[in-house]
Amino acid sequence: MDDVVDLLDSLIRPLLRLIVLLVRGLWWAAHDWIFETICWGTGWLVLRIVTLGRWPTVGIAEPHKMGDADAMLIALLGLAVLVASGYWFWP
């Protein structure tokens, strides 16, 4: 009986690890896409409107050309705008 349990454990454990690895990879990719694409774009647009086109100086598709702190600030502003607009406009 212990041999069967050991065999199943040796087969199932690597399969579960693979599934967890795939789920974590998909979660990371989705998070990265949402934060760097949607939040950055929203924050970039808001700041371009508020600063009358003066900041950020890079294009909307170029967050990698900003410093890390500035890019994070823009993305967090975009996230805040999205959350606030969802709070105010969601019925």
Side-chain angles (χ1 to χ4, degrees), residues 14-90:
L15 183 62
L16 288 176
R17 285 186 180 175
L18 179 64
I19 291 170
V20 167
L21 181 67
L22 289 173
V23 168
R24 287 180 70 186
L26 289 172
W27 178 260
W28 174 81
H31 171 270
D32 192 49
W33 179 78
I34 288 170
F35 199 71
E36 286 190 8
T37 304
I38 296 174
C39 294
W40 161 268
T42 304
W44 184 90
L45 182 63
V46 168
L47 283 173
R48 290 291 277 207
I49 291 170
V50 169
T51 63
L52 302 174
R54 294 187 183 134
W55 197 76
T57 56
V58 299
I60 194 167
E62 302 170 332
H64 56 279
K65 291 185 178 179
M66 295 280 301
D68 289 338
D70 291 338
M72 184 65 70
L73 174 72
I74 293 168
L76 287 174
L77 175 70
L79 180 63
V81 167
L82 290 171
V83 168
S85 65
Y87 177 74
W88 283 320
F89 297 117
W90 196 264

